[in-house]
Amino acid sequence: MVPAVNPNEFTPPADYLDFIKKYNGTERAIGNNQNLKLWGIEELVKLNTYYEVDRYAPDYFIFGSDVGGTAYAFNKQNSSIV
């Protein structure tokens, strides 16, 4: 299980869990001047706490960013990516 995720509240998609267990995060260019950073396991706890996600966006679990101000998150209700 990924830390900071209460399995009674939210379970990330299986393919995400498989990826994060295998690679523990990554950062890659995904286009012209665009990046994607998937946070490592130890960053998930730290950064969701730092950004006060439970306070300001309690229906979401942030798992990464574009390294430029945009966060990527799972909707805890349906696991869609926002």
Side-chain angles (χ1 to χ4, degrees):
M1 179 69 1
V2 175
V5 178
N6 179 342
N8 296 322
E9 180 182 314
F10 167 68
T11 301
D15 54 350
Y16 169 78
L17 292 174
D18 291 343
F19 178 88
I20 208 69
K21 287 175 189 174
K22 184 173 182 179
Y23 297 105
N24 193 24
T26 189
E27 184 175 340
R28 300 278 187 250
I30 58 171
N32 293 335
N33 300 318
Q34 296 178 329
N35 291 298
L36 173 65
K37 180 173 185 174
L38 300 178
W39 297 342
I41 293 170
E42 50 294 321
E43 292 174 295
L44 291 168
V45 174
K46 186 180 353 177
L47 293 173
N48 273 274
T49 300
Y50 176 78
Y51 291 119
E52 299 183 81
V53 176
D54 284 340
R55 179 177 180 185
Y56 295 109
D59 291 333
Y60 299 96
F61 178 77
I62 297 176
F63 61 86
S65 75
D66 70 352
V67 193
T70 298
Y72 298 107
F74 292 115
N75 179 310
K76 291 180 182 178
Q77 303 303 312
N78 61 20
S79 295
S80 64
I81 297 174
V82 295

